[in-house]
Amino acid sequence: MLYIKGNRRALLLVVAAAVGLCASAAPAVMSDGDAPADSRRITFEMTYNLSPRGSNCNASLVTLLPQTIQNRQTIHSISYTLEPQEVFQRNGNTYARFEVSNACADVQLVISVDAEIHRYDLETAQRIKPGSPLPPENLAQYLRRERYIETDAGDIKSAARLARGESQIAVIQALFQQVLSRLTYSGFQSRELGALGAWRLMKGDCTEYTDLLIALLRARGIPARAVSGLITNFSDVPHHNWVEVYMKNLGWVPLDPLHAAMRTATFEQLRPIYIYLSTMRNDSVLGGFAIWTCRMTGSGMDVNASLRLTDKIPTNISY
């Protein structure tokens, strides 16, 4: 029994290649006074092509599925060309497991999603003031060190102490600006540096921007977590990582330091381009892979993943 070879990011290059010209399109710059739309209705297809390397190939493919998340996205329907063996939840994420047995010819799995993605950012959260505060025990895990988020490293702790502000939001914004000032966007890279590596090398892609901001926030005692998903506007790959920080009286609020550095977002405003799949940095279900993983027996299979996205009728939602 073996898992499909390749590291967490190498698998994502397959997704980028499959979307063709869209992968090279640069996102529009957000200018002053350019308010994002409230929401967008979209459909997208996550396609997995499995090609047997011989006879009697078996595969168990597990993939993340989007789920309805209040104020962020509404999933109207999900359909499959092959029915999943099971759909299950773990640690707040939703997954589907597909079994392919004794395959001798190519198998294509298409997951079609009809969704509405809503604008949700600090500005929106301050307007609608969502939810009730979580008890401290529910937030403890978002203050700890974990792989790639070295919140207790000396360099990280020293940098976090430099942030000044008269309110929690002011401190968060100071840490946010610290990441933007410290890092230079490297373009998509296969090697993961972690927060400490990003701080020392002063570069990274969306993963490093996310890891570093989370580490700095946690070092200041502010709960933060990584979000992994897809974006509808991208310059290299559709997979994207961003941050959610737990703010007093507001709950979990998304921030996107990389897009802010690229001037396609601000600290207060995000566009409705985010498809949420996971709120875990190190996903044990996927064995550290992003979005999906595949376990095989027999002679094995080659798996190629692709994404196709279509905008439907734009909608506006008042919260």
Side-chain angles (χ1 to χ4, degrees), residues 13-46:
L13 294 176
V14 178
V15 182
V19 294
L21 294 177
C22 292
S24 62
V29 172
M30 180 180 287
S31 60
D32 293 340
D34 185 12
D38 281 341
S39 69
R40 294 168 63 193
R41 185 73 176 264
I42 62 169
T43 59
F44 62 95
E45 293 179 349
M46 302 164 64

Side-chain angles (χ1 to χ4, degrees), residues 19 90 96 109 150 162 186 214 237:
V19 294
R90 190 83 53 83
L109 163 64
E150 302 92 343
L162 296 176
S186 63
I214 291 172
V237 294

Side-chain angles (χ1 to χ4, degrees), residues 162-197:
L162 296 176
R164 296 287 183 267
E166 296 182 358
S167 66
Q168 186 197 51
I169 289 181
V171 171
I172 293 170
Q173 187 168 17
L175 294 170
F176 185 85
Q177 289 300 135
Q178 203 171 41
V179 172
L180 270 57
S181 299
R182 182 73 180 183
L183 299 186
T184 298
Y185 180 50
S186 63
F188 177 81
Q189 58 182 34
S190 59
R191 179 189 172 200
E192 294 191 332
L193 302 177
L196 186 58

Side-chain angles (χ1 to χ4, degrees), residues 41-47 64-67 73-75 77-79 110-117 230 232 274-277 306-312:
R41 185 73 176 264
I42 62 169
T43 59
F44 62 95
E45 293 179 349
M46 302 164 64
T47 300
L64 285 161
L65 293 179
Q67 58 185 315
Q73 63 192 27
T74 303
I75 306 303
S77 66
I78 301 179
S79 60
V110 181
I111 302 172
S112 301
V113 181
D114 180 1
E116 204 157 8
I117 50 178
L230 306 168
T232 61
Y274 300 88
I275 301 168
Y276 286 68
L277 292 177
S306 63
L307 173 73
R308 187 167 70 88
L309 173 78
T310 305
D311 262 297
K312 299 184 78 173

